[in-house]
C-alpha cells in the first residue's frame, strides 16, 4: 500500500485506488494513515467526524464506514492476498489501526528525510543537509490533505505538517546559503517573503542573500520595509537578531560572509545574543 497525505489524499493497493468518495470515510482513512501501526481510539475518530457532540447513531455509523473501507481494501487486494482486509484495517480494543509500514505513508518518509537533513545541518555537512531537505520537500504535492474535509483532529495535524514544511524550507535555504548559493535563492526568497510577510527568519535569509549578491542597498531597503510593516501592522520592532543583522550590514561585519560566518547556525541566529 502507498498512501499520500502531503497534497491530495491518495491510497493505492496493487496500483488501484482505495480512496472513498464520501467525505467522512476519507477523514477516517486520513487519520488512520497518519498513525500507521498504532491504534486510533474510537473516541478520537468520533471527535474528528462529529466534534464534541456526536449523534446517538455515531458508533454504528463509524462501524459502517470501517466496513466500507475494508470492502474497498479487500477488492484492491484480491482473493489471493496473504492477509485479509480485516488484518490490514484491524479492530483492536477501543479503536482501529492500519497495519502498514510507516514508510508506505509519504509523511513518514518525509519526516525521516527531515531528520537526516537536521542531523547533517547540525554536523555542518551542508551538501547532505540541503539534499535531504530538498528530497523531503519534493514529496509534497500541494497543501496537506487539501481535498479532505478537516475535523478538529485532522486540522491540528495539517497545521503541524504545514509548519514542519515551512521550517524544512527555511533550513534547506540555510544550508544553501552556507554553500554560497545566494544568487540562486533570490527569486525563491522573494516569493516566500511575499507569502509570509511577518516571518523574520525568511526575511533574514532574503536580506543576507541580497547582501552577499553585492546588493547591499537592496538588503538595507528590505530591512527597512520589514521594520515598517512590523511596526504598522503588529506594533513591534524587529527582533534583536534582525536589528543586529542590520547593524552588521552597516559595519560590513565579516560574519555576513560565507567563508567567515559560522557553519552550524541558522541565518536568523547569526547575530543571536
Amino acid at each position: 500500500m502507498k498512501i499520500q497525505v502531503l497534497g491530495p489524499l491518495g491510497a493505492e493497493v496493487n496500483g488501484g485506488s482505495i480512496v472513498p468518495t464520501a467525505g467522512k470515510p476519507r477523514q477516517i482513512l486520513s487519520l488512520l494513515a497518519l498513525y500507521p501501526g498504532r491504534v486510533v481510539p474510537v473516541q478520537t475518530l468520533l471527535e474528528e467526524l462529529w466534534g464534541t457532540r456526536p449523534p446517538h447513531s455515531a458508533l454504528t455509523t463509524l462501524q459502517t464506514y470501517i466496513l466500507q473501507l475494508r470492502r474497498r481494501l479487500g477488492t484492491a487486494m484480491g482473493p489471493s492476498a496473504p492477509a485479509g482486509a480485516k488484518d490490514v484495517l484491524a479492530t483492536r480494543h477501543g479503536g482501529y489501526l492500519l497495519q502498514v509500514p510507516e514508510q508506505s505513508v509519504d509523511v513518514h518518509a518525509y519526516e525521516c528525510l527531515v531528520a537526516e537533513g537536521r542531523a547533517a545541518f547540525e554536523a555542518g555537512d551542508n551538501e547532505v543537509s540541503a539534499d535531504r531537505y530538498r528530497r523531503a520537500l519534493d514529496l509534497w504535492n500541494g497543501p496537506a490533505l487539501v481535498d479532505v474535509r478537516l475535523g478538529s483532529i485532522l486540522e491540528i495535524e495539517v497545521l503541524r505538517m504545514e509548519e514542519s514544511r515551512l521550517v524544512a524550507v527555511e533550513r534547506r535555504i540555510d544550508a544553501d546559503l552556507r554553500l554560497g548559493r545566494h544568487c540562486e535563492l533570490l527569486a525563491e526568497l522573494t516569493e516566500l517573503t511575499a507569502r509570509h510577510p511577518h516571518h523574520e527568519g525568511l526575511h533574514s535569509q532574503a536580506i543576507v542573500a541580497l547582501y552577499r549578491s553585492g546588493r547591499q542597498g537592496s538588503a538595507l531597503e528590505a530591512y527597512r520595509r520589514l521594520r515598517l510593516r512590523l511596526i504598522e501592522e503588529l506594533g513591534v520592532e524587529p527582533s534583536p537578531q534582525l536589528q543586529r543583522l542590520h547593524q552588521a550590514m552597516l559595519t560590513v561585519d565579516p560574519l555576513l560572509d560565507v567563508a567567515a560566518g559560522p557553519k552550524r547556525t541558522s541565518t536568523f541566529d547569526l547575530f543571536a545574543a
Side-chain angles (χ1 to χ4, degrees), residues 26-66:
R26 291 168 74 87
Q27 288 175 263
I28 294 170
L29 178 59
S30 299
L31 195 52
L32 292 172
L34 291 175
Y35 300 96
R38 293 164 56 186
V39 175
V40 177
V42 166
Q43 189 57 44
T44 300
L45 290 163
L46 294 178
E47 183 178 344
E48 167 60 27
L49 297 178
W50 289 287
T52 56
R53 301 183 66 181
H56 294 301
S57 60
L59 185 57
T60 301
T61 305
L62 173 62
Q63 292 168 343
T64 300
Y65 291 150
I66 294 292

